[in-house]
Amino acid sequence: MTIDPNRPSSARVYDAFLGGTHNFAVDRSVASRIMEIVPEMAALARANRAFLHRVVRWAVANGVRQFIDLGSGIPTEGNVHEVALAADPEARVAYVDVDPTAVLYARDLLGDDPRTVVVQGDLRDPAAVLDDPALNTVIDLGRPVGILMFAVLHFVPDGPVLDATLHGYREAVVAGSLLALSHASGGLDPEGVDRVADLYSRTGTPFVPRDEQRFARLFDGWQLADPGVVRGPGWRPEGAVEQLSDPAASLILTGVGVRR
Ligand SMILES: C[S@@+](CC[C@H](N)C(=O)[O-])C[C@H]1O[C@@H](n2cnc3c(N)ncnc32)[C@H](O)[C@@H]1O
């Protein structure tokens, strides 16, 4: 596992948005330049994490007790396993990230809890991810599973790789499984999108925000759970939710699909 402190990574840039400490000067530089373009980036990242928490609680309440968190990121407060295990101590969670920093810190945080595992892998290769022996020690694909991709598919452009990725996970899971997605929308002006994409290109990652229609197509083959595709922090809010200004709220799209 090689960690290059001179090249920004999308995982560490996101950690910087959230005020984490697992990032380098190069990451903070990219993060602060993105925050100049999107001043509410930190609030958006928090809204994304709050969506994650609500989805996992809702999933457990609806009988889904195992989760594969793809593009899981650097551990931060309220990780999937913390939320899932609080709701059901028998829950199981596999974290998957391509970034060595994220994998390193996640392994450090999790220790040897047999209910959780961390795998370094590329979500665009579902067969390799789902065949991973470590992942299979905690995940039983014969039972419903929550496939989670939070704030990550906007790094995967349209095309055969995206199609095969979505198809791979959809066909591998049984009825009752869930696909939960959050995603950057096309709510920025085109010049802003280009500037953010240019900054992300330094991490080696393309940035492809999608509008509501293109986002909804990611759920093809799944039945969208109520309330469908939602902008901002509006997916099944619990109690008081952090308010985002109208333009900021329109920058994040969320939804959950159910496999029938
Ligand atoms: C913006 S962070 C989101 C982290 C977390 N899912 C969340 O929503 O809080 C995106 C994460 O996806 C990871 N990532 C990007 N492309 C990936 C890929 N092809 N396979 C696995 N992980 C990927 C990055 O390393 C990073 O940790």
Side-chain angles (χ1 to χ4, degrees):
M1 253 190 251
T2 330
I3 293 171
D4 183 350
N6 299 312
R7 186 175 195 220
S9 94
S10 66
R12 297 192 310 254
V13 168
Y14 183 74
D15 182 62
F17 291 149
L18 284 168
T21 53
H22 303 317
N23 50 73
F24 300 118
V26 280
D27 307 304
R28 291 190 289 278
S29 162
V30 169
S32 67
R33 292 184 63 187
I34 292 177
M35 286 192 276
E36 280 166 20
I37 303 163
V38 186
E40 294 196 59
M41 197 62 222
L44 281 165
R46 288 195 299 274
N48 178 53
R49 297 295 300 179
F51 168 65
L52 173 161
H53 300 161
R54 296 196 301 279
V55 167
V56 172
R57 278 193 288 270
W58 179 81
V60 174
N62 284 279
V64 176
R65 305 158 73 205
Q66 44 174 3
F67 300 90
I68 305 178
D69 186 2
L70 298 161
S72 46
I74 292 170
T76 180
E77 211 180 297
N79 292 290
V80 171
H81 74 284
E82 292 163 331
V83 182
L85 290 172
D88 182 345
E90 294 302 310
R92 299 284 185 272
V93 179
Y95 290 105
V96 180
D97 204 287
V98 77
D99 186 294
T101 323
V103 172
L104 195 74
Y105 284 118
R107 287 198 176 133
D108 189 44
L109 173 86
L110 290 174
D112 49 14
D113 187 332
R115 298 167 298 183
T116 60
V117 73
V118 185
V119 171
Q120 184 169 16
D122 190 324
L123 68 86
R124 294 168 297 183
D125 188 349
V129 168
L130 297 173
D131 286 347
D132 186 280
L135 180 138
N136 282 287
T137 62
V138 299
I139 301 295
D140 174 3
L141 287 173
R143 292 188 299 123
V145 59
I147 302 287
L148 314 177
M149 289 191 264
F150 298 121
V152 65
L153 279 185
H154 49 232
F155 297 130
V156 183
D158 288 334
V161 171
L162 176 68
D163 295 347
T165 300
L166 294 168
H167 180 266
Y169 294 110
R170 188 175 63 234
E171 294 310 308
V173 301
V174 299
S177 296
L178 305 174
L179 173 70
L181 303 178
S182 63
H183 199 290
S185 83
L188 273 181
D189 61 89
E191 194 214 342
V193 171
D194 285 350
R195 285 166 63 209
V196 173
D198 179 53
L199 287 160
Y200 269 118
S201 70
R202 298 171 197 194
T203 70
T205 324
F207 175 65
V208 277
R210 293 183 170 88
D211 63 17
E212 232 163 297
Q213 276 185 335
R214 286 172 72 206
F215 175 69
R217 281 208 293 272
L218 302 175
F219 291 99
D220 280 356
W222 302 79
Q223 185 178 322
L224 273 170
D226 282 345
V229 165
V230 179
R231 285 171 173 257
W235 194 90
R236 293 179 179 265
E238 298 168 358
V241 287
E242 184 174 4
Q243 290 304 315
L244 296 169
S245 70
D246 277 353
S250 73
L251 295 178
I252 178 173
L253 294 170
T254 56
V256 177
V258 182
R259 187 87 165 95
R260 297 295 183 198

